[in-house]
Amino acid sequence: MRLLMWWSGRALSSAATLLGVSVLIFTAVRLMPGGFAETVLGPFATAEQKVELAARYGLDQPVFMQYGHWLAAVAGGDFGISMISRQPVGAELLARLPVTGELTVLAVVASALAGVPLGVLTAVRSQSGRSPGGGGAAGRLLSGLGVSVPEFVLGSLVVFVFSRYALGLEVGTWVPFTQDPAANLATMVLPAAVLSVFAISVTARTTRDAVLGVLVEPYVTAAVGRGESPWFIVRHHILRNAATPVVTLLGTITAYLLGGALIVEHVFNLPGVGSYIVQAVGRRDYAVVQAGVLLAAAVFIVMNVLIDLLVGVLDPRLGVLAGRRS
């Protein structure tokens, strides 16, 4: 019964969130300077041409009527037709989703494989007193730089360096994974690395703080007193108890990286959902922008649900079925 109530509550809150996002994005794209008619027809179009184009796409109707028609279509699985390519938006997004999905997965894997060990190592060394000064300061400096440098700055620098010098990796090209897995990974290494810099920095910092919090627990002190080796203590006592905030962060970062993929795909000329939305914004292709933002919001909601379930597995006290103590 408790699980059913939890799922019902999450479904209602998710639906309300998606509805709010749909209202915001539908209104925002129509408030952008330079409408669809001006973008498509150019600055020398006559008033009659603009009226005709607006009528063709239903843009001459009141905004609330446009929103109602679009929302009803989305509820039925129809995201509309692209005003530029005249292709179904759903099919276009589905065709580009594997590129964005692969980029995001590679960045998340890199964040976990690099950020978690770095965080554990710095926490253990700090606790043992072997890194009281310079090492900790250097780690904080690198972490601060990783968080502060925007993706488009780092991506542009990487594109320039690897375009100017022959360093073994190409930029600006993309090969499907099904066609040549090795070539595909070679084209995705640099975008994934750029996208993961922020995530690695935040993951390392969060892991360090979580591990430092666990190291002062009595059961860790008891394990040290029994003479267990440091890395045995890390593996069997620390990692699981420090995993909850790290898992929560990685789930949130996964949704964040989908937003960062917009910029990275555009910089590296990858045919993913991100570059598709960026192009649509410039062309005022309303249907594409609305569907893309709604898709990103849905992914964020799904990730939050998965995080809640996984946290309950790692720590039953925090799970959705955990009872409340009176």
Side-chain angles (χ1 to χ4, degrees):
M1 186 63 181
R2 184 184 297 274
L3 181 61
L4 179 61
M5 293 178 61
W6 183 84
W7 277 112
S8 300
R10 290 307 296 259
L12 289 176
S13 63
S14 300
T17 301
L18 288 177
L19 183 63
V21 170
S22 69
V23 173
L24 289 176
I25 188 58
F26 192 90
T27 305
V29 295
R30 282 158 177 76
L31 293 178
M32 290 189 298
F36 175 69
E38 289 79 4
T39 304
V40 173
L41 299 177
F44 302 107
T46 63
E48 290 77 10
Q49 290 175 324
K50 294 180 180 180
V51 170
E52 180 183 354
L53 185 66
R56 184 189 310 171
Y57 291 101
L59 301 178
D60 58 337
Q61 299 177 0
V63 175
F64 68 89
M65 291 185 61
Q66 297 180 43
Y67 174 75
H69 294 157
W70 174 71
L71 187 63
V74 169
D78 181 11
F79 292 97
I81 302 294
S82 170
M83 298 177 176
I84 302 298
S85 66
R86 303 299 301 161
Q87 299 295 322
V89 174
E92 294 280 351
L93 290 175
L94 191 61
R96 290 167 169 79
L97 193 58
V99 180
T100 303
E102 180 185 0
L103 178 62
T104 304
V105 168
L106 289 176
V108 172
V109 171
S111 304
L113 293 181
V116 173
L118 282 174
V120 173
L121 181 62
T122 55
V124 172
R125 289 177 64 87
S126 176
Q127 184 72 9
S128 63
R130 286 185 290 174
S131 179
R140 288 191 295 271
L141 176 61
L142 292 176
S143 178
L145 288 175
V147 172
S148 303
V149 178
E151 284 93 350
F152 73 89
V153 174
L154 183 59
S156 300
L157 179 61
V158 170
V159 168
F160 170 76
V161 171
F162 280 85
S163 300
R164 179 66 176 82
Y165 305 100
L167 299 178
L169 293 175
E170 297 183 0
V171 295
T173 60
W174 180 75
V175 179
F177 184 84
T178 55
Q179 178 179 330
D180 189 342
N184 170 267
L185 293 177
T187 59
M188 297 293 282
V189 166
L190 293 178
V194 170
L195 187 60
S196 64
V197 168
F198 171 85
I200 290 174
S201 302
V202 177
T203 302
R205 181 178 297 181
T206 302
T207 303
R208 178 182 180 275
D209 294 341
V211 171
L212 286 175
V214 174
L215 284 173
V216 299
E217 293 292 335
Y219 54 82
V220 176
T221 305
V224 174
R226 290 193 297 269
E228 298 178 359
S229 66
W231 290 111
F232 181 87
I233 295 174
V234 169
R235 292 195 305 269
H236 292 270
H237 299 288
I238 295 177
L239 288 181
R240 182 180 180 89
N241 292 285
T244 299
V246 178
V247 169
T248 303
L249 175 70
L250 287 175
T252 305
I253 282 180
T254 302
Y256 167 82
L257 292 178
L258 288 173
L262 271 72
I263 305 300
V264 174
E265 287 178 4
H266 188 66
V267 171
F268 285 89
N269 195 30
L270 296 177
V273 174
S275 59
Y276 185 48
I277 295 176
V278 171
Q279 294 171 3
V281 171
R283 298 171 178 175
R284 302 299 187 268
D285 197 343
Y286 297 153
V288 174
V289 178
Q290 293 164 184
V293 173
L294 202 62
L295 174 63
V299 171
F300 191 86
I301 291 172
V302 171
M303 287 305 305
N304 281 331
V305 174
L306 293 179
I307 290 169
D308 288 343
L309 295 175
L310 186 55
V311 165
V313 173
L314 294 174
D315 190 346
R317 296 171 301 175
L318 304 177
V320 299
L321 295 180
R324 296 182 179 179
R325 295 182 179 180
S326 56

